Amino acid sequence: MKRGNMSLDPLDSSAALKSEPLCIFGTGDLGRSLGQCLLQSGYGVVYGSRRPDSCGPLPQGAQVMTHQEAAQFANLIFICVHREHYDFLEMLAPHLEGKVQTMASKKSSLCVLSRLVPKAAVVKGLNTVSAWALQNGLPSGTQVYLCGNNEEAKRAVAEMATKLGLTVLDRGSLSAARELEDFPLRLFPEWRIPLWVAFSLTAAFFIYLVIRNTVYDYVNNGQDVSYGIMVSLANKVFAAVSLIMLSLCYLPGCIAAFLQLYRGTKYRRFPDWLDRWMLCRKQMGLVALGFALLHAIYSLINPLRYCFYKSSRNLNNPTTFDNTRAWRIDSFYALGILGFFLYVLLGLTSLPSVGGSLSWREFSFVQSKLGYLTLFFCTAHGYIYGWDRFLDHSTYNWYTPPVYMLCLIIPTVVLVFKLIIIIPCVDRTLMRIRQGWERNPLRGETDDLKFTNL
């Protein structure tokens, strides 16, 4: 039977795909996994291989044959081979004319492919889905990207992907192919700035504490307290980094609010550094949650509460109990527990499965209102920890402030900024600006309004 090119008309393209098998070049992990999904969706699958007799186990119901034979059986072909092995396509050029070729491999050379098969309709797509995800079942709504110069070819591939339960996003022409290839190869692009900030803060505080505590005691008192580096010192570092990272999540929002108040409009772009900062706030918050969890675990190792309560009793009169110190200790732990609880709540609502079930008002309430409440509790936790130690000159080893004072600077600034923003007159003006009001509209618009009134 003579097979013509597949009809790509919207009304019969689905029927055409169901009536004939789909071809997959490549019998590796990606090719086998893709074929299994296609078979489960009711499609016929034909594999093209250099060595059909020794290509290993394939999904049940699929056929395997040479590249030339497989190309004659289907008009929609998935190329799941590395670009180093594209040479066989040149010999298949006459059999691939007018067919749709989908580049599903992570890295492909479209320039080489266009030269080898100039008359084929090339579509780049499905490369963001891994073989592991295909083998273990694709979550409903998984996004895949497509790009190509032939709209009918893209529509045919999109219909097939939709039947697999995928959500297709069209990225335009083949000029976007390089961008699509880079998607699965990116290594935590949104996490780079938060991780670098966290690493820098951790290293800085660790070195600062080692010099200020361990080295100071050894030089001045001749005591070796290096054993405290593993737990006590690390616990202080985790607490300081967590509090600063949390405050850095809300500082850019305050800066953006003051910028809008200063400019009197929301239609001017923020500086690039502020824009990038605001885009990575979620990741900063999750990193802060991780450090808070480490701080909580390390705090459980130290029997601090027992020691504090023991020291709360007057040594001269053991029956006398220092009520003020006891209140301070209980408040310190209560605020820490409440702050950590809200920390976890913020982290849970950052998950797509949880955040997606909330309305915008609910999500905004949790991330904004409860977020600032978390920052307030954690900052108060730090202030109560310090209490009146700042008055004691012995606290300043080598005239350096303790870490708890340093880590409270940014959170305090953020809370002061927020208090200014929520002042009714300021909040009312900021809300009007965010709703589209401008303090100084463009001169041209003002002239138009005057002309209209005339």
Side-chain angles (χ1 to χ4, degrees):
M1 180 178 64
K2 183 178 179 181
R3 294 179 176 269
N5 290 342
M6 179 178 59
S7 173
L8 295 175
D9 185 80
L11 298 177
D12 60 359
S13 58
S14 176
L17 285 172
K18 290 287 186 177
S19 63
E20 63 179 17
L22 304 181
C23 176
I24 299 177
F25 284 170
T27 55
D29 292 337
L30 180 60
R32 291 198 300 267
S33 302
L34 179 59
Q36 182 66 39
C37 288
L38 292 174
L39 288 169
Q40 292 174 353
S41 300
Y43 292 100
V45 176
V46 177
Y47 283 97
S49 175
R50 292 176 295 177
R51 295 183 292 273
D53 299 331
S54 58
C55 60
L58 295 174
Q60 186 177 3
Q63 304 179 37
V64 59
M65 54 191 68
T66 63
H67 291 126
Q68 182 175 350
E69 294 172 341
Q72 295 176 354
F73 272 85
N75 286 297
L76 181 54
I77 302 172
F78 296 92
I79 300 180
C80 301
V81 298
H82 292 285
R83 58 185 175 186
E84 292 83 3
H85 307 295
Y86 281 177
D87 295 340
F88 72 95
L89 294 174
E90 186 174 9
M91 297 182 295
L92 298 177
H95 304 282
L96 299 178
E97 291 184 6
K99 298 180 182 288
V100 179
Q101 300 186 58
T102 305
M103 314 299 296
S105 58
K106 296 293 183 294
K107 275 290 187 180
S108 58
S109 179
L110 296 177
C111 296
V112 176
L113 184 64
S114 300
R115 178 176 54 84
L116 296 177
V117 191
K119 297 184 179 181
V122 180
V123 177
K124 178 67 181 179
L126 303 182
N127 63 306
T128 55
V129 180
S130 65
W132 182 89
L134 291 170
Q135 291 173 358
N136 292 274
L138 290 168
S140 180
T142 301
Q143 291 185 348
V144 293
Y145 302 94
L146 296 180
C147 69
N149 296 331
N150 191 309
E151 294 297 329
E152 293 182 348
K154 285 196 295 184
R155 185 164 60 249
V157 177
E159 290 179 0
M160 182 278 306
T162 302
K163 289 181 174 60
L164 294 182
L166 303 173
T167 300
V168 180
L169 298 178
D170 191 347
R171 303 292 292 188
S173 65
L174 283 177
S175 59
R178 180 61 60 85
E179 182 183 1
L180 266 62
E181 291 175 355
D182 291 339
F183 279 156
L185 302 178
R186 292 177 179 175
L187 183 63
F188 304 118
E190 298 88 0
W191 291 82
R192 290 178 183 175
I193 295 178
L195 290 177
W196 272 112
V197 172
F199 176 80
S200 302
L201 289 173
T202 303
F205 280 125
F206 182 82
I207 296 173
Y208 182 80
L209 281 172
V210 168
I211 295 175
R212 189 179 179 278
N213 294 351
T214 307
V215 177
Y216 175 84
D217 284 341
Y218 183 79
V219 171
N220 286 32
N221 304 323
Q223 297 179 352
D224 184 7
V225 293
S226 58
Y227 59 86
I229 292 177
M230 297 301 296
V231 177
S232 299
L233 189 145
N235 192 24
K236 294 178 181 179
V237 172
F238 295 149
V241 175
S242 176
L243 183 56
I244 292 178
M245 292 291 291
L246 178 62
S247 61
L248 290 178
C249 294
Y250 296 97
L251 181 57
C254 296
I255 296 175
F258 281 114
L259 274 177
Q260 289 179 335
L261 288 170
Y262 173 75
R263 295 171 174 175
T265 179
K266 72 170 186 177
Y267 296 109
R268 290 181 60 184
R269 288 184 56 86
F270 295 129
D272 291 339
W273 59 269
L274 182 58
D275 194 31
R276 290 194 298 269
W277 190 356
M278 296 183 70
L279 290 175
C280 65
R281 287 179 295 177
K282 173 184 175 181
Q283 289 74 20
M284 279 190 174
L286 293 176
V287 173
L289 174 60
F291 277 92
L293 180 60
L294 288 174
H295 172 57
I297 295 173
Y298 271 65
S299 297
L300 293 176
I301 298 175
N302 294 318
L304 296 177
R305 195 169 191 273
Y306 170 79
C307 297
F308 282 155
Y309 266 101
K310 186 176 180 180
S311 63
S312 297
R313 296 189 177 275
N314 194 322
L315 297 178
N316 297 326
N317 188 1
T319 60
T320 303
F321 190 79
D322 190 345
N323 191 59
T324 302
R325 186 174 177 83
W327 266 100
R328 169 197 163 193
I329 295 167
D330 279 357
S331 300
F332 169 73
Y333 280 102
L335 289 171
I337 293 170
L338 290 174
F340 182 70
F341 170 75
L342 293 177
Y343 239 133
V344 175
L345 183 61
L346 290 174
L348 291 176
T349 55
S350 298
L351 298 175
S353 57
V354 179
S357 62
L358 301 176
S359 65
W360 169 248
R361 187 174 182 181
E362 294 169 341
F363 182 80
S364 177
F365 173 80
V366 172
Q367 292 293 328
S368 180
K369 304 298 188 296
L370 292 186
Y372 278 104
L373 184 61
T374 305
L375 182 61
F376 172 77
F377 281 153
C378 294
T379 305
H381 177 69
Y383 272 108
I384 293 178
Y385 171 81
W387 200 248
D388 58 353
R389 296 182 188 179
F390 69 96
L391 300 175
D392 188 359
H393 70 276
S394 62
T395 304
Y396 303 91
N397 297 343
W398 283 334
Y399 304 102
T400 58
V403 167
Y404 82 88
M405 294 179 63
L406 297 177
C407 72
L408 287 173
I409 296 175
I410 299 180
T412 304
V413 170
V414 174
L415 291 175
V416 171
F417 283 171
K418 185 60 178 177
L419 286 175
I420 297 174
I421 292 173
I422 63 176
I423 296 175
C425 58
V426 179
D427 180 66
R428 192 181 307 113
T429 304
L430 183 61
M431 187 60 63
R432 291 181 63 194
I433 291 174
R434 290 176 175 175
Q435 291 176 350
W437 175 79
E438 293 183 277
R439 184 186 303 118
N440 297 315
L442 297 178
R443 183 176 181 84
E445 295 179 359
T446 305
D447 294 341
D448 291 342
L449 290 174
K450 292 180 179 178
F451 182 77
T452 303
N453 293 332
L454 292 174

